[in-house]
């Protein structure tokens, strides 16, 4: 059944890689929720060069490839953020009519 499903995605829909990336994000989401339960902050990272990451950690040699990175860490107890973070002042972002 699994082989038939993978063949359908690979040869029928021709979206196997895209489908596998979506499956990865489901696992990342569950990992982030588990981390939050343990008091660990988590955020997914995109916009990286997967070839470089795969090469640095020899991932392709295992038959896999990187689709997303997940940063995990403890929050700084000294730093309390009470407002949303923005790179620009509101008058630079919005025009009110």
């Amino acid at each position: 059944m699994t082989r038939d499903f993978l063949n359908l995605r690979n040869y029928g829909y021709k979206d196997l890689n895209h489908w596998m990336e979506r499956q990865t994000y489901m696992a990342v989401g569950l990992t982030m929720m588990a981390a939050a339960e343990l008091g660990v902050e988590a955020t997914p990272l995109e916009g990286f060069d997967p070839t470089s990451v795969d090469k640095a950690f020899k991932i392709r040699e295992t038959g896999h490839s990187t689709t997303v990175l997940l940063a995990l860490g403890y929050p700084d107890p000294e730093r309390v953020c009470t407002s949303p973070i923005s790179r620009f002042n509101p008058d630079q972002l919005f025009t009110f009519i």
Side-chain angles (χ1 to χ4, degrees):
M1 185 170 141
T2 302
R3 184 179 308 119
D4 289 342
F5 183 77
L6 289 174
N7 284 335
L8 175 66
R9 297 315 273 191
N10 200 25
Y11 302 112
Y13 296 125
K14 297 185 173 144
D15 70 343
L16 182 62
N17 287 338
H18 184 68
W19 176 81
M20 286 191 298
E21 287 176 4
R22 291 192 308 252
Q23 302 308 302
T24 302
Y25 271 96
M26 288 193 299
V28 167
L30 290 171
T31 302
M32 290 174 65
M33 287 190 290
E37 285 292 318
L38 297 171
V40 177
E41 299 287 334
T43 188
L45 304 169
E46 288 188 335
F48 61 92
D49 179 14
T51 304
S52 298
V53 174
D54 291 351
K55 185 176 180 182
F57 292 98
K58 298 180 178 155
I59 293 172
R60 295 274 167 112
E61 295 171 9
T62 67
H64 299 91
S65 61
T66 305
T67 58
V68 65
L69 300 175
L70 182 64
L72 298 164
Y74 291 101
D76 182 355
E78 301 291 319
R79 184 175 177 188
V80 178
C81 298
T82 58
S83 63
I85 297 171
S86 177
R87 295 182 181 172
F88 301 102
N89 293 325
D91 61 336
Q92 291 176 296
L93 292 173
F94 304 103
T95 301
F96 296 97
I97 303 174

